Amino acid sequence: MHTVGFIHSKGGVGKTTLAIMIALSLEHAGFQVELLDSDPQGSATRWSERAEDVGTPLPFDVRSAPSARSLRAAVSSASADIAVIDTPPGTPEVLDAAVDLVDLALIPSGASPMDIDRVWPTMQLLAHRPTAVVLNAIDARESVSSVAREVLESEGIPVAEATIPMRASARRAFGTIPDVAEHYRALAKEVLEALH
Ligand SMILES: Nc1ncnc2c1ncn2[C@@H]1O[C@H](COP(=O)(O)OP(=O)(O)O)[C@@H](O)[C@H]1O
Ligand SMILES: [Mg+2]
């Protein structure tokens, strides 16, 4: 089994949305997927419960594992091909556990200089894990995303080829089985290449 985690020391960067979209993309690509929700706020779990309540359950299990210990147990008992891990912001114990457990860590980030500045503490947390930044919720009119890519890459930090645009559809996706846009599929393909 492979594990991919969405990690950032801050909230609101798109971890949960990306975790769901990538889990769906991987499922569509024919893999058996489990999403492990290590955020005590349980956004991914609530997404899944809500989708079930309205009669359109997500096509993969979302398991709540809101502590370092329960996350380790969930990973060791996972039976899927790929476990996608969603993490909470600023809970060092859980983040450290997630960092230890993932084969690949993805750091979602906006592209503004302030967003990029917020990536460094998470990079330190990740030590030497295979890592890539995912530029997320990018306004197509912003030229900062190519600057962000250059800044990160000049510091030796890989940036996923796929850039995720800002979309109202991503905001509305909570509690549904969203159509998975091409940019998420492209990111999932990169994830698979990195894992194999
Ligand atoms: N590509 C996107 N375009 C627009 N809004 C997005 C996008 N991805 C996420 N969002 C929105 O950004 C906010 C934070 O996303 P969320 O996935 O909850 O981040 P986190 O899990 O890091 O806190 C939510 O309101 C979500 O709907
Ligand atoms: Mg979240």
Side-chain angles (χ1 to χ4, degrees):
M1 191 192 62
H2 296 288
T3 49
V4 54
F6 289 89
I7 297 179
H8 196 299
S9 60
K10 300 267 188 275
V13 294
K15 294 181 295 293
T16 299
T17 306
L18 278 162
I20 296 272
M21 296 297 192
I22 290 308
L24 272 172
S25 302
L26 294 170
E27 182 84 23
H28 290 166
F31 294 88
Q32 210 197 326
V33 177
E34 237 171 64
L35 200 160
L36 307 180
D37 181 7
S38 69
D39 186 349
Q41 285 192 19
S43 306
T45 305
R46 288 163 62 126
W47 186 317
S48 163
E49 288 169 354
R50 195 152 159 182
E52 202 162 322
D53 286 348
V54 298
T56 53
L58 293 173
F60 50 83
D61 284 343
V62 178
R63 290 167 69 195
S64 176
S67 66
R69 199 169 150 198
S70 60
L71 182 59
R72 284 190 205 100
V75 168
S76 60
S77 68
S79 59
D81 302 319
I82 304 172
V84 176
I85 302 176
D86 188 19
T87 66
T91 316
E93 212 199 34
V94 180
L95 287 189
D96 284 345
V99 167
D100 280 344
L101 290 165
V102 293
D103 299 320
L104 174 67
L106 294 176
I107 308 173
S109 177
S112 75
M114 192 186 269
D115 294 330
I116 298 306
D117 191 55
R118 290 185 175 133
V119 167
W120 311 127
T122 305
M123 281 308 299
Q124 287 185 335
L125 202 75
L126 285 163
H128 300 297
R129 286 276 145 187
T131 299
V133 168
V134 177
L135 295 175
N136 185 53
I138 304 302
D139 184 335
R141 290 162 300 185
E142 270 184 316
S143 55
V144 285
S145 76
S146 56
V147 176
R149 185 179 291 277
E150 274 167 35
V151 169
L152 290 164
E153 286 177 348
S154 73
E155 296 289 335
I157 299 172
V159 181
E161 282 288 322
T163 291
I164 310 300
M166 182 176 288
R167 288 276 190 275
S169 54
R171 290 190 187 284
R172 288 191 305 259
F174 178 74
T176 71
I177 308 178
D179 288 333
V180 181
E182 177 52 34
H183 38 265
Y184 293 111
R185 292 179 195 269
L187 179 61
K189 205 170 155 214
E190 288 184 64
V191 167
L192 288 170
E193 282 163 9
L195 291 177
H196 290 99

